[in-house]
Amino acid sequence: MTVKTLHIPTADGRADAFAAFPDRGERCPGVLMYPDGFGIRPVLREMARELAGHGYYVLVPNLFYRHGPAPMIDLPEHIGEGTRAKVFEQLMPLIEAHTVERSLSDADAYLRFLTAQPEVVDGPVAVTGYCFGGLLAVRTAAAHPGQVAAVAGFHGPVGADGPDTLNRLTAEVYFAHAETDMTPESLGALDQALDAAGVTHTSEILPGTAHGFTMSDTDAFDAAALQRHWDRLLPLLGRTLAGG
């Protein structure tokens, strides 16, 4: 396994990023992994390495590079209920400043950089995202319909941009929602919008889960839900990416 800290040229500077990919010397499919609002940290590096171990080049950008390199703030080892509010108080201005225009400009730069890496095979890529990163994954896939073959979002506001964005999706979609984030009625409305857009998709609520269920450094972590995340994500990548 090779891991690197990289810097991605963007319209507004350089975004620091974490990359992980196999050592076997063969080119592999690329995956752009958007972190949650807490950003690049040990748990995200661990998840990127886990995915890379299945034969993918995984690129995890610092979403808030305009404000400085990751980590943007001092994070506790475990983000529990006692610290969550204080952490979000610091992060929310950065999230609010990350406009649609900025996210789309960055997506162009991230995909251009990812596909130019010598370890990445020619062909389509996948985009995954967690929490706020799930929304960014959908935006990226919608803006690059000929390039993104799969998009996966976990406990994120994936439909927040509305049907106009969903209508531009051509990628195969998997969404996993926390029970505390999505009602069955809201899920039905999202599924209806995806159906109307002609999107091949699976979208489900994971019973008993809270927002952030994939993140082992938070109180929301659910080991069974994280395993389901892998059980759904890996087959999606395998059937949509060349060499996956």
Side-chain angles (χ1 to χ4, degrees):
M1 178 72 61
T2 298
V3 297
K4 290 183 176 180
T5 297
L6 301 170
H7 292 87
I8 304 171
T10 75
D12 294 325
R14 295 204 309 163
D16 50 307
F18 177 80
F21 52 92
D23 279 334
R24 60 194 186 196
E26 300 173 0
R27 298 170 75 196
C28 51
V31 179
L32 174 60
M33 177 185 284
Y34 284 113
D36 59 5
F38 298 133
I40 301 174
R41 59 196 192 282
V43 66
L44 262 299
R45 294 186 179 94
E46 178 183 338
M47 293 175 77
R49 288 193 295 266
E50 173 75 15
L51 183 53
H54 291 276
Y56 299 95
Y57 186 110
V58 185
L59 182 67
V60 188
N62 171 20
L63 304 180
F64 309 127
Y65 68 90
R66 292 174 179 84
H67 307 276
M72 296 304 307
I73 63 173
D74 290 329
L75 288 171
E77 288 187 14
H78 185 84
I79 306 167
E81 288 305 314
T83 57
R84 190 180 185 89
K86 182 178 180 181
V87 168
F88 262 106
E89 183 179 345
Q90 299 174 76
L91 287 175
M92 194 52 65
L94 307 183
I95 294 173
E96 291 174 346
H98 200 69
T99 61
V100 173
E101 292 75 20
R102 282 185 171 186
S103 63
L104 292 177
S105 175
D106 288 347
D108 292 345
Y110 299 156
L111 290 180
R112 186 165 55 248
F113 183 88
L114 174 63
T115 56
Q117 298 311 296
E119 299 87 1
V120 175
V121 70
D122 295 336
V125 301
V127 186
T128 70
Y130 303 87
C131 186
F132 179 54
L135 173 59
L136 300 182
V138 172
R139 284 178 184 167
T140 300
H144 298 268
Q147 190 171 20
V148 177
V151 58
F154 302 92
H155 48 80
V158 291
D161 284 347
D164 287 347
T165 295
L166 299 179
N167 285 338
R168 295 198 299 273
L169 290 173
T170 59
E172 184 175 344
V173 166
Y174 174 67
F175 295 145
H177 312 282
E179 190 174 64
T180 56
D181 287 342
M182 179 77 75
T183 65
E185 293 76 18
S186 298
L187 179 65
L190 177 60
D191 283 341
Q192 187 174 14
L194 290 167
D195 286 337
V199 177
T200 301
H201 68 95
T202 300
S203 186
E204 59 183 349
I205 298 171
L206 303 192
T209 55
H211 180 74
F213 58 77
T214 59
M215 297 296 153
S216 61
D217 60 352
T218 73
D219 283 352
F221 178 61
D222 185 310
L226 176 62
Q227 185 56 53
R228 186 171 183 83
H229 148 282
W230 292 120
D231 291 344
R232 292 290 195 172
L233 178 59
L234 292 173
L236 171 67
L237 301 183
R239 64 179 172 262
T240 56
L241 300 184

